[in-house]
Every structure is written in C-alpha cells, then in structure tokens.
Amino acid sequence: MHEPGAPLGIFDSGVGGLTVLRRIMDRLPHEPVVYLGDTARVPYGTKSAETVVRYARGCARILMDRQIKLLVVACNTASAYAIDALRDELSVPVLGVIEPGAQRAVNATRSGRIGVIGTAGTIASGRYQSVIESLAPGTFVACKACPLFVPLAEEGWSDGEVPRAIAETYLREILDRDVDTLLLGCTHYPVLREAIAAVAGPGIAIVDSADATAEVVAEILSAMDYAAEADGAPVYSYLVTDAPQSFARFGDLFLGRTIARVDWVDF
Ligand code: DGL
C-alpha cells in the first residue's frame, strides 16, 4: 500500500516532460515528485513501438523502486505505445497524457473537427485518433507529425520568423481541413505555443495535453484519498540516464523554475 506522502513518479524521454511537470506543480503544489528523463535514449518519437515499450518499462522500474504512489507517463510517444503494458504490469495507477488531452479536445470542439500534432511515432500509433473516436464517435481528426518542433523547442527558438514558417508548413494541411481545435500532442509543443497559435489564428482553440493531464492527476489523487498533506515545500527529485548538466539547463525554459540538482541513474 502506498502512502499519500509518497511521491508522484513522472517519466519522459528527456526534458520535454518538464512541461507536464510544470502544470502538475502549479495544480498540485504540495505533491512531492520524482521526475525521470531518459536522456540516454531520447528521442522516442522516431523509434519503433517495441523499442519504446522496452524503454518505458525500464523507466517505470526505476520510479517504482522509489516507492511512487502514481505513475504519470509524460511522454506522448510512450503513452501511445506503452500505456497498456504499464497498466497491466504495475501495482500503482498509471496515467498517460493522451486520454486527458483527447478528452479536453473533445470538450473544446464545437464543429467536431479536431487537428492533432505530435511526433512521428505518436501519430503513426493512431492512439489519439482511436481515443477521440471512443470518446466522441464520428469526430473528424486530422493528424500531422511535426518532428522539427522538438529540436526547435530545445534550441529555445520558441517564436519568430523561423518557427512560424515551419509551423505554417506543418499546419497548413490540417488547417485547410477546417478544424476548430488543435491538440498539442507532444511534450515540447507548449514551448512553441505562441508560434503555433499565431499560425492557427484566433478561431482555433489550442488544447494542451500537459495541462489536461495535471487536472486528471488531481482528480485521481482526490478520488483515491492519495493527496499529500499541505505541510511545507515538497521535495522534487530529478533523475536522468545521461548528461545531468545539460538537463538542468532546461529548467528555466521548460519548467519555469531552476533545477538545482540532477542525479544520474540507468537501467
Ligand atoms: N517526449 C516526446 C513526446 O512527447 C517528444 C520527444 C521525443 O521524441 O522523445 O512524444
């Protein structure tokens, strides 16, 4: 049995999941968290389903050893490919980013036409499409992989002429299909939100899986009576499988906070 004071476990392929952690910290400021970035194996978005499932199991094992009370799979690609396996195998609740994001997009659309963008793996998996279909049968979904958004975000090149030109090139075919909602189905895309919103225009609702996931984490903790006590500042631990120094640099951009200490682990 896991205690309410036990930490949440969150993993991602690298730094991107810090956008999800940021929302969780904002929504649940008392929860201790162990975050794992699999920086030795990033990116996941270009890898096969089998490989991503293997990596996800390795990440989950490290976090389970830390006695977490709930596992958040912050990586969209890992959520797309590995969520079923992790749910079957782990003894704690497992939440991915796809179901919360899909639910929010379904709630946001008025026309029943949704655009979804993500990594090549996430889009190829068909997971967003099938979850949206199960939530709101008959919804039209236009998808597009936007692989250059990940390095752009990591360069800190979040807005301006080049990001907007790339966004225009990627998004045009989705926007031409008359969607009224655009779902950011990748950890890195919230960093590019302004450029994406500028290209999409004011008539399109931008929905963020990170934000939606934080809300569902709060709901699960409250339903299970698992929320931490509000006594003092919670402990945040950051683990990576490679290059702790360069990970810490992403604190400001992706997390909006300074990361003081990062520990190196591996599986
Ligand atoms: N974290 C990944 C995702 O959300 C993006 C980066 C990667 O390809 O590993 O799908």
Side-chain angles (χ1 to χ4, degrees), residues 158-160 163-164 167 171 184 188-201 206:
S158 52
D159 200 3
R164 286 189 191 203
L171 299 181
L184 308 185
H188 288 60
Y189 300 177
V191 175
L192 299 164
R193 193 181 176 116
E194 269 179 47
I196 292 169
V199 168
I206 309 273

Side-chain angles (χ1 to χ4, degrees), residues 17 27 32 51 68 71 82 94 97 102 136 146 162 186-187 215 227 235 243 247 249 258-259:
R27 179 68 186 76
T51 297
I68 57 170
L71 177 66
V94 178
V97 285
C146 306
V162 172
C186 175
T187 48
E215 200 51 51
V235 175
F247 178 87
R249 285 206 306 270
T258 302
I259 295 176

Side-chain angles (χ1 to χ4, degrees), residues 37-105:
D38 189 12
T39 47
R41 295 170 188 82
V42 69
Y44 284 10
T46 53
K47 306 232 163 49
S48 69
E50 292 72 18
T51 297
V52 173
V53 171
R54 184 156 46 85
Y55 292 173
R57 284 193 171 113
C59 291
R61 218 177 310 127
I62 289 182
L63 292 172
M64 290 300 286
D65 285 347
R66 307 261 165 162
Q67 312 299 326
I68 57 170
K69 62 183 171 187
L70 181 142
L71 177 66
V72 180
V73 182
C75 178
N76 287 255
T77 312
S79 297
Y81 285 135
I83 203 82
D84 296 332
L86 296 178
R87 280 191 180 136
D88 284 351
E89 293 162 15
L90 301 182
S91 59
V92 296
V94 178
L95 178 67
V97 285
I98 291 190
E99 284 147 2
Q103 180 68 64
R104 193 167 277 195

Side-chain angles (χ1 to χ4, degrees), residues 111-179:
S111 63
R113 299 179 72 83
I114 297 173
V116 178
I117 54 176
T119 65
T122 297
I123 298 305
S125 75
R127 188 82 185 200
Y128 269 112
Q129 299 92 309
S130 62
V131 173
I132 291 171
E133 176 60 24
S134 69
L135 293 169
T139 302
F140 171 80
V141 183
C143 291
K144 180 78 181 170
C146 306
L148 284 179
F149 281 173
V150 168
L152 265 183
E154 292 195 8
E155 276 296 307
W157 212 347
S158 52
D159 200 3
E161 209 177 314
V162 172
R164 286 189 191 203
I166 293 172
E168 171 66 34
T169 308
Y170 279 142
L171 299 181
R172 184 46 44 204
E173 80 181 54
I174 292 189
L175 299 173
D176 284 348
R177 319 268 323 251
D178 286 334
V179 298

